[in-house]
Short mmCIF file of all heavy atoms in Angstrom, two decimals:
data_model
loop_
_atom_site.label_atom_id
_atom_site.label_comp_id
_atom_site.label_asym_id
_atom_site.label_seq_id
_atom_site.Cartn_x
_atom_site.Cartn_y
_atom_site.Cartn_z
N MET W 1 0.86 -1.17 0.00
CA MET W 1 0.00 0.00 0.00
C MET W 1 0.90 1.24 0.00
O MET W 1 1.36 1.69 1.03
CB MET W 1 -0.89 -0.04 1.24
CG MET W 1 -1.90 1.04 1.27
SD MET W 1 -3.27 0.73 2.37
CE MET W 1 -2.52 0.76 3.95
N SER W 2 1.17 1.75 -1.13
CA SER W 2 2.10 2.85 -1.25
C SER W 2 1.40 4.06 -1.84
O SER W 2 1.61 4.43 -2.98
CB SER W 2 3.27 2.43 -2.12
OG SER W 2 4.13 3.52 -2.33
N ASP W 3 0.57 4.71 -1.07
CA ASP W 3 -0.10 5.91 -1.56
C ASP W 3 0.43 7.13 -0.82
O ASP W 3 1.34 7.02 0.01
CB ASP W 3 -1.62 5.77 -1.43
CG ASP W 3 -2.08 5.62 0.01
OD1 ASP W 3 -1.35 5.05 0.83
OD2 ASP W 3 -3.18 6.06 0.30
N LEU W 4 -0.12 8.26 -1.09
CA LEU W 4 0.35 9.52 -0.54
C LEU W 4 0.26 9.56 0.99
O LEU W 4 1.21 9.95 1.67
CB LEU W 4 -0.46 10.68 -1.14
CG LEU W 4 -0.12 12.07 -0.65
CD1 LEU W 4 1.27 12.45 -1.11
CD2 LEU W 4 -1.12 13.05 -1.16
N ILE W 5 -0.86 9.13 1.53
CA ILE W 5 -1.06 9.17 2.98
C ILE W 5 -0.07 8.25 3.68
O ILE W 5 0.53 8.62 4.70
CB ILE W 5 -2.51 8.81 3.35
CG1 ILE W 5 -3.46 9.85 2.75
CG2 ILE W 5 -2.69 8.74 4.85
CD1 ILE W 5 -4.92 9.49 2.88
N THR W 6 0.14 7.07 3.13
CA THR W 6 1.09 6.14 3.73
C THR W 6 2.50 6.70 3.71
O THR W 6 3.24 6.57 4.69
CB THR W 6 1.05 4.79 2.98
OG1 THR W 6 -0.30 4.33 2.97
CG2 THR W 6 1.93 3.76 3.64
N ASN W 7 2.88 7.33 2.62
CA ASN W 7 4.22 7.93 2.54
C ASN W 7 4.39 9.04 3.58
O ASN W 7 5.44 9.12 4.23
CB ASN W 7 4.47 8.48 1.14
CG ASN W 7 4.63 7.38 0.12
OD1 ASN W 7 4.97 6.26 0.45
ND2 ASN W 7 4.36 7.70 -1.13
N VAL W 8 3.39 9.87 3.74
CA VAL W 8 3.46 10.94 4.73
C VAL W 8 3.53 10.36 6.13
O VAL W 8 4.31 10.83 6.97
CB VAL W 8 2.25 11.90 4.58
CG1 VAL W 8 2.16 12.85 5.75
CG2 VAL W 8 2.34 12.67 3.28
N LEU W 9 2.76 9.31 6.40
CA LEU W 9 2.77 8.69 7.72
C LEU W 9 4.12 8.03 8.01
O LEU W 9 4.59 8.07 9.15
CB LEU W 9 1.65 7.67 7.84
CG LEU W 9 0.23 8.24 7.88
CD1 LEU W 9 -0.79 7.13 7.95
CD2 LEU W 9 0.06 9.20 9.04
N GLN W 10 4.75 7.45 7.03
CA GLN W 10 6.06 6.85 7.23
C GLN W 10 7.11 7.92 7.54
O GLN W 10 7.98 7.72 8.38
CB GLN W 10 6.47 6.03 6.02
CG GLN W 10 5.69 4.74 5.90
CD GLN W 10 6.00 3.97 4.65
OE1 GLN W 10 6.59 4.50 3.70
NE2 GLN W 10 5.59 2.71 4.62
N LYS W 11 7.02 9.06 6.87
CA LYS W 11 7.94 10.16 7.17
C LYS W 11 7.71 10.71 8.57
O LYS W 11 8.66 11.02 9.29
CB LYS W 11 7.78 11.28 6.13
CG LYS W 11 8.31 10.91 4.77
CD LYS W 11 8.09 12.03 3.78
CE LYS W 11 8.49 11.61 2.39
NZ LYS W 11 8.21 12.65 1.40
N ALA W 12 6.44 10.82 8.96
CA ALA W 12 6.12 11.30 10.30
C ALA W 12 6.59 10.30 11.36
O ALA W 12 7.05 10.71 12.43
CB ALA W 12 4.62 11.53 10.43
N LYS W 13 6.51 9.03 11.05
CA LYS W 13 6.97 8.00 11.99
C LYS W 13 8.48 8.10 12.17
O LYS W 13 9.00 7.97 13.28
CB LYS W 13 6.58 6.62 11.48
CG LYS W 13 6.97 5.51 12.42
CD LYS W 13 6.56 4.17 11.88
CE LYS W 13 6.99 3.08 12.84
NZ LYS W 13 6.73 1.77 12.28
N ALA W 14 9.19 8.35 11.08
CA ALA W 14 10.65 8.48 11.16
C ALA W 14 11.05 9.67 12.01
O ALA W 14 12.08 9.64 12.68
CB ALA W 14 11.23 8.61 9.76
N LYS W 15 10.24 10.72 12.00
CA LYS W 15 10.53 11.91 12.80
C LYS W 15 9.95 11.83 14.20
O LYS W 15 10.16 12.72 15.01
CB LYS W 15 9.98 13.15 12.10
CG LYS W 15 10.70 13.48 10.82
CD LYS W 15 10.15 14.74 10.21
CE LYS W 15 10.91 15.08 8.94
NZ LYS W 15 10.42 16.33 8.36
N GLY W 16 9.16 10.79 14.47
CA GLY W 16 8.57 10.63 15.80
C GLY W 16 7.36 11.51 16.03
O GLY W 16 7.09 11.90 17.17
N LYS W 17 6.61 11.82 15.00
CA LYS W 17 5.47 12.72 15.11
C LYS W 17 4.12 12.02 14.95
O LYS W 17 3.10 12.68 14.83
CB LYS W 17 5.55 13.82 14.04
CG LYS W 17 6.79 14.65 14.09
CD LYS W 17 6.82 15.51 15.31
CE LYS W 17 8.05 16.40 15.28
NZ LYS W 17 8.24 17.11 16.50
N LEU W 18 4.10 10.69 14.96
CA LEU W 18 2.84 9.98 14.75
C LEU W 18 1.86 10.16 15.89
O LEU W 18 0.66 10.04 15.69
CB LEU W 18 3.10 8.49 14.54
CG LEU W 18 3.37 8.06 13.12
CD1 LEU W 18 3.44 6.56 13.04
CD2 LEU W 18 2.35 8.57 12.15
N ASN W 19 2.34 10.45 17.09
CA ASN W 19 1.41 10.63 18.20
C ASN W 19 0.67 11.96 18.12
O ASN W 19 -0.31 12.16 18.82
CB ASN W 19 2.15 10.51 19.54
CG ASN W 19 3.27 11.52 19.67
OD1 ASN W 19 3.68 12.12 18.70
ND2 ASN W 19 3.79 11.65 20.86
N ARG W 20 1.10 12.86 17.26
CA ARG W 20 0.44 14.15 17.06
C ARG W 20 -0.44 14.09 15.83
O ARG W 20 -0.12 14.63 14.78
CB ARG W 20 1.48 15.26 16.90
CG ARG W 20 2.39 15.50 18.06
CD ARG W 20 1.70 16.16 19.23
NE ARG W 20 0.86 17.30 18.89
CZ ARG W 20 1.30 18.56 18.81
NH1 ARG W 20 2.53 18.85 19.05
NH2 ARG W 20 0.44 19.52 18.51
N THR W 21 -1.58 13.41 15.94
CA THR W 21 -2.45 13.24 14.78
C THR W 21 -3.02 14.56 14.30
O THR W 21 -3.25 14.72 13.11
CB THR W 21 -3.60 12.27 15.10
OG1 THR W 21 -4.31 12.73 16.23
CG2 THR W 21 -3.08 10.88 15.34
N ASP W 22 -3.22 15.50 15.22
CA ASP W 22 -3.77 16.80 14.79
C ASP W 22 -2.78 17.53 13.89
O ASP W 22 -3.18 18.16 12.90
CB ASP W 22 -4.14 17.65 16.01
CG ASP W 22 -2.96 17.91 16.94
OD1 ASP W 22 -2.10 17.03 17.06
OD2 ASP W 22 -2.91 18.98 17.56
N VAL W 23 -1.50 17.41 14.17
CA VAL W 23 -0.48 18.07 13.34
C VAL W 23 -0.39 17.40 11.98
O VAL W 23 -0.32 18.07 10.95
CB VAL W 23 0.88 18.05 14.06
CG1 VAL W 23 1.98 18.59 13.17
CG2 VAL W 23 0.81 18.85 15.35
N VAL W 24 -0.41 16.07 11.96
CA VAL W 24 -0.34 15.33 10.70
C VAL W 24 -1.56 15.63 9.85
O VAL W 24 -1.47 15.85 8.64
CB VAL W 24 -0.19 13.82 10.95
CG1 VAL W 24 -0.23 13.04 9.65
CG2 VAL W 24 1.10 13.52 11.70
N LEU W 25 -2.73 15.68 10.49
CA LEU W 25 -3.96 15.97 9.77
C LEU W 25 -3.94 17.38 9.18
O LEU W 25 -4.31 17.58 8.02
CB LEU W 25 -5.15 15.83 10.73
CG LEU W 25 -6.54 15.92 10.14
CD1 LEU W 25 -6.75 14.85 9.10
CD2 LEU W 25 -7.56 15.79 11.24
N ARG W 26 -3.46 18.34 9.94
CA ARG W 26 -3.36 19.71 9.44
C ARG W 26 -2.37 19.80 8.29
O ARG W 26 -2.60 20.51 7.30
CB ARG W 26 -2.92 20.64 10.58
CG ARG W 26 -3.05 22.08 10.23
CD ARG W 26 -2.82 23.00 11.40
NE ARG W 26 -2.67 22.29 12.65
CZ ARG W 26 -1.86 22.65 13.63
NH1 ARG W 26 -1.14 23.72 13.51
NH2 ARG W 26 -1.77 21.97 14.73
N TYR W 27 -1.26 19.07 8.39
CA TYR W 27 -0.27 19.05 7.31
C TYR W 27 -0.87 18.51 6.01
O TYR W 27 -0.69 19.08 4.94
CB TYR W 27 0.93 18.20 7.73
CG TYR W 27 1.95 18.01 6.65
CD1 TYR W 27 2.84 19.02 6.32
CD2 TYR W 27 2.03 16.82 5.93
CE1 TYR W 27 3.79 18.86 5.32
CE2 TYR W 27 2.96 16.64 4.93
CZ TYR W 27 3.84 17.66 4.63
OH TYR W 27 4.76 17.51 3.64
N LEU W 28 -1.62 17.40 6.13
CA LEU W 28 -2.24 16.82 4.94
C LEU W 28 -3.26 17.76 4.33
O LEU W 28 -3.39 17.84 3.11
CB LEU W 28 -2.90 15.49 5.30
CG LEU W 28 -1.96 14.32 5.58
CD1 LEU W 28 -2.73 13.15 6.17
CD2 LEU W 28 -1.24 13.90 4.32
N ARG W 29 -3.98 18.48 5.16
CA ARG W 29 -4.99 19.42 4.65
C ARG W 29 -4.34 20.61 3.97
O ARG W 29 -4.80 21.08 2.93
CB ARG W 29 -5.89 19.90 5.77
CG ARG W 29 -6.88 18.86 6.19
CD ARG W 29 -7.79 19.36 7.26
NE ARG W 29 -8.74 18.31 7.65
CZ ARG W 29 -9.39 18.29 8.77
NH1 ARG W 29 -9.26 19.26 9.65
NH2 ARG W 29 -10.21 17.30 9.04
N MET W 30 -3.26 21.13 4.55
CA MET W 30 -2.61 22.31 3.99
C MET W 30 -1.77 21.98 2.76
O MET W 30 -1.86 22.66 1.74
CB MET W 30 -1.74 22.98 5.05
CG MET W 30 -2.54 23.65 6.12
SD MET W 30 -1.63 24.32 7.53
CE MET W 30 -0.05 24.72 6.92
N LYS W 31 -0.97 20.94 2.84
CA LYS W 31 -0.03 20.62 1.77
C LYS W 31 -0.72 19.98 0.56
O LYS W 31 -0.46 20.34 -0.58
CB LYS W 31 1.05 19.68 2.32
CG LYS W 31 2.02 19.17 1.32
CD LYS W 31 3.20 20.03 1.19
CE LYS W 31 4.20 19.37 0.26
NZ LYS W 31 5.25 20.24 -0.09
N TYR W 32 -1.60 19.01 0.83
CA TYR W 32 -2.18 18.23 -0.26
C TYR W 32 -3.68 18.47 -0.44
O TYR W 32 -4.30 17.84 -1.29
CB TYR W 32 -1.94 16.74 -0.02
CG TYR W 32 -0.47 16.41 0.04
CD1 TYR W 32 0.14 16.08 1.24
CD2 TYR W 32 0.32 16.44 -1.10
CE1 TYR W 32 1.49 15.78 1.31
CE2 TYR W 32 1.67 16.14 -1.05
CZ TYR W 32 2.25 15.82 0.16
OH TYR W 32 3.57 15.53 0.22
N ARG W 33 -4.26 19.34 0.38
CA ARG W 33 -5.69 19.67 0.32
C ARG W 33 -6.57 18.43 0.41
O ARG W 33 -7.56 18.28 -0.31
CB ARG W 33 -6.02 20.46 -0.93
CG ARG W 33 -5.30 21.78 -0.96
CD ARG W 33 -5.57 22.55 -2.20
NE ARG W 33 -4.69 23.71 -2.20
CZ ARG W 33 -5.08 24.89 -2.59
NH1 ARG W 33 -6.28 25.06 -3.05
NH2 ARG W 33 -4.25 25.89 -2.55
N LEU W 34 -6.18 17.52 1.30
CA LEU W 34 -6.94 16.29 1.51
C LEU W 34 -7.97 16.51 2.60
O LEU W 34 -7.67 17.12 3.62
CB LEU W 34 -6.02 15.14 1.93
CG LEU W 34 -5.09 14.62 0.87
CD1 LEU W 34 -4.21 13.53 1.45
CD2 LEU W 34 -5.86 14.05 -0.29
N LYS W 35 -9.15 16.03 2.40
CA LYS W 35 -10.19 16.08 3.42
C LYS W 35 -10.24 14.70 4.06
O LYS W 35 -10.66 13.73 3.44
CB LYS W 35 -11.52 16.44 2.81
CG LYS W 35 -11.45 17.73 2.06
CD LYS W 35 -12.56 18.62 2.43
CE LYS W 35 -12.39 19.81 1.53
NZ LYS W 35 -12.80 20.98 1.81
N LEU W 36 -9.80 14.64 5.29
CA LEU W 36 -9.65 13.38 5.99
C LEU W 36 -10.10 13.60 7.43
O LEU W 36 -9.77 14.63 8.01
CB LEU W 36 -8.18 12.98 5.95
CG LEU W 36 -7.76 11.58 6.26
CD1 LEU W 36 -8.28 10.64 5.18
CD2 LEU W 36 -6.25 11.49 6.29
N THR W 37 -10.83 12.67 7.98
CA THR W 37 -11.24 12.81 9.38
C THR W 37 -10.15 12.28 10.28
O THR W 37 -9.31 11.48 9.88
CB THR W 37 -12.55 12.06 9.66
OG1 THR W 37 -12.34 10.67 9.48
CG2 THR W 37 -13.68 12.55 8.77
N GLU W 38 -10.18 12.72 11.51
CA GLU W 38 -9.19 12.28 12.47
C GLU W 38 -9.33 10.78 12.75
O GLU W 38 -8.34 10.08 12.93
CB GLU W 38 -9.32 13.07 13.77
CG GLU W 38 -8.17 12.88 14.71
CD GLU W 38 -8.16 13.87 15.85
OE1 GLU W 38 -8.93 14.85 15.82
OE2 GLU W 38 -7.38 13.65 16.78
N PHE W 39 -10.56 10.28 12.76
CA PHE W 39 -10.81 8.86 12.98
C PHE W 39 -10.16 8.01 11.90
O PHE W 39 -9.50 7.01 12.18
CB PHE W 39 -12.32 8.60 13.04
CG PHE W 39 -12.68 7.16 13.22
CD1 PHE W 39 -12.57 6.56 14.46
CD2 PHE W 39 -13.13 6.41 12.16
CE1 PHE W 39 -12.90 5.23 14.63
CE2 PHE W 39 -13.46 5.08 12.32
CZ PHE W 39 -13.34 4.48 13.56
N VAL W 40 -10.32 8.41 10.65
CA VAL W 40 -9.74 7.67 9.53
C VAL W 40 -8.22 7.72 9.60
O VAL W 40 -7.54 6.71 9.36
CB VAL W 40 -10.26 8.22 8.19
CG1 VAL W 40 -9.52 7.62 7.02
CG2 VAL W 40 -11.74 8.01 8.06
N LEU W 41 -7.68 8.88 9.94
CA LEU W 41 -6.22 9.00 10.05
C LEU W 41 -5.68 8.10 11.16
O LEU W 41 -4.66 7.44 10.98
CB LEU W 41 -5.84 10.46 10.32
CG LEU W 41 -4.34 10.74 10.41
CD1 LEU W 41 -3.66 10.41 9.09
CD2 LEU W 41 -4.10 12.19 10.79
N GLU W 42 -6.36 8.04 12.28
CA GLU W 42 -5.93 7.17 13.37
C GLU W 42 -5.97 5.71 12.96
O GLU W 42 -5.09 4.93 13.33
CB GLU W 42 -6.78 7.42 14.61
CG GLU W 42 -6.49 8.74 15.28
CD GLU W 42 -7.44 9.07 16.41
OE1 GLU W 42 -8.38 8.29 16.65
OE2 GLU W 42 -7.23 10.11 17.05
N LYS W 43 -6.99 5.31 12.21
CA LYS W 43 -7.07 3.94 11.72
C LYS W 43 -5.92 3.63 10.76
O LYS W 43 -5.36 2.54 10.76
CB LYS W 43 -8.41 3.67 11.03
CG LYS W 43 -9.56 3.64 11.98
CD LYS W 43 -9.40 2.49 12.95
CE LYS W 43 -10.56 2.43 13.90
NZ LYS W 43 -10.40 1.38 14.90
N ARG W 44 -5.56 4.60 9.91
CA ARG W 44 -4.44 4.40 8.98
C ARG W 44 -3.13 4.26 9.76
O ARG W 44 -2.28 3.45 9.41
CB ARG W 44 -4.33 5.58 8.02
CG ARG W 44 -5.47 5.74 7.04
CD ARG W 44 -5.47 4.68 5.97
NE ARG W 44 -4.33 4.74 5.10
CZ ARG W 44 -4.33 5.24 3.88
NH1 ARG W 44 -5.43 5.72 3.37
NH2 ARG W 44 -3.23 5.23 3.15
N ILE W 45 -2.98 5.04 10.82
CA ILE W 45 -1.77 4.95 11.65
C ILE W 45 -1.72 3.59 12.34
O ILE W 45 -0.66 2.96 12.38
CB ILE W 45 -1.73 6.10 12.67
CG1 ILE W 45 -1.50 7.43 11.95
CG2 ILE W 45 -0.64 5.87 13.71
CD1 ILE W 45 -1.66 8.65 12.82
N GLU W 46 -2.84 3.14 12.88
CA GLU W 46 -2.88 1.83 13.53
C GLU W 46 -2.52 0.71 12.55
O GLU W 46 -1.78 -0.21 12.90
CB GLU W 46 -4.26 1.57 14.12
CG GLU W 46 -4.58 2.36 15.35
CD GLU W 46 -6.00 2.15 15.83
OE1 GLU W 46 -6.68 1.22 15.35
OE2 GLU W 46 -6.43 2.93 16.69
N SER W 47 -3.04 0.79 11.35
CA SER W 47 -2.74 -0.26 10.36
C SER W 47 -1.27 -0.20 9.94
O SER W 47 -0.66 -1.24 9.69
CB SER W 47 -3.65 -0.14 9.15
OG SER W 47 -3.35 1.01 8.41
N LEU W 48 -0.70 0.99 9.89
CA LEU W 48 0.72 1.13 9.54
C LEU W 48 1.59 0.54 10.63
O LEU W 48 2.55 -0.19 10.35
CB LEU W 48 1.07 2.60 9.32
CG LEU W 48 2.52 2.91 9.01
CD1 LEU W 48 2.86 2.44 7.60
CD2 LEU W 48 2.80 4.37 9.16
N ILE W 49 1.25 0.80 11.87
CA ILE W 49 2.03 0.29 12.99
C ILE W 49 1.90 -1.23 13.09
O ILE W 49 2.88 -1.94 13.31
CB ILE W 49 1.60 0.97 14.30
CG1 ILE W 49 2.04 2.44 14.27
CG2 ILE W 49 2.22 0.28 15.51
CD1 ILE W 49 1.49 3.26 15.41
N SER W 50 0.68 -1.74 12.93
CA SER W 50 0.48 -3.18 13.05
C SER W 50 1.10 -3.96 11.89
O SER W 50 1.50 -5.10 12.06
CB SER W 50 -1.00 -3.50 13.17
OG SER W 50 -1.67 -3.19 11.98
N SER W 51 1.19 -3.35 10.72
CA SER W 51 1.78 -4.05 9.58
C SER W 51 3.31 -4.13 9.69
O SER W 51 3.92 -5.00 9.09
CB SER W 51 1.40 -3.37 8.28
OG SER W 51 2.00 -2.10 8.17
N ASN W 52 3.91 -3.22 10.45
CA ASN W 52 5.37 -3.23 10.60
C ASN W 52 5.84 -4.20 11.68
O ASN W 52 7.02 -4.45 11.79
CB ASN W 52 5.88 -1.83 10.92
CG ASN W 52 5.81 -0.92 9.72
OD1 ASN W 52 5.79 -1.39 8.60
ND2 ASN W 52 5.81 0.36 9.94
N LYS W 53 4.96 -4.73 12.48
CA LYS W 53 5.36 -5.64 13.56
C LYS W 53 5.51 -7.04 13.07
O LYS W 53 5.17 -7.50 12.11
CB LYS W 53 4.36 -5.61 14.69
CG LYS W 53 4.43 -4.32 15.44
CD LYS W 53 3.51 -4.33 16.62
CE LYS W 53 3.66 -3.05 17.40
NZ LYS W 53 2.79 -3.01 18.54
#
């Protein structure tokens, strides 16, 4: 699963910013003009973390 959101989440994980979902959500809205709910973003983060284990 290599889409835009996953790439951004992997970069945020490398910087240690995944726990700040509000910041990641704001970044996605400003940079890529994506409309995404916080719930959906948290689910994407959970799936990213669980797939790496």
Side-chain angles (χ1 to χ4, degrees):
M1 186 161 66
S2 175
D3 62 329
L4 179 67
I5 297 171
T6 305
N7 290 336
V8 169
L9 291 178
Q10 288 175 344
K11 289 178 186 177
K13 182 180 179 186
K15 292 182 179 182
K17 302 291 183 188
L18 272 187
N19 59 345
R20 298 288 313 271
T21 56
D22 59 327
V23 174
V24 175
L25 187 60
R26 191 172 353 144
Y27 175 78
L28 288 169
R29 285 182 181 160
M30 289 173 28
K31 175 91 174 170
Y32 299 108
R33 297 178 188 221
L34 290 177
K35 304 228 183 206
L36 197 67
T37 64
E38 192 168 349
F39 178 77
V40 171
L41 182 62
E42 288 173 356
K43 290 296 181 184
R44 293 288 295 258
I45 291 171
E46 287 176 12
S47 69
L48 177 72
I49 291 171
S50 66
S51 68
N52 287 338
K53 289 184 177 180

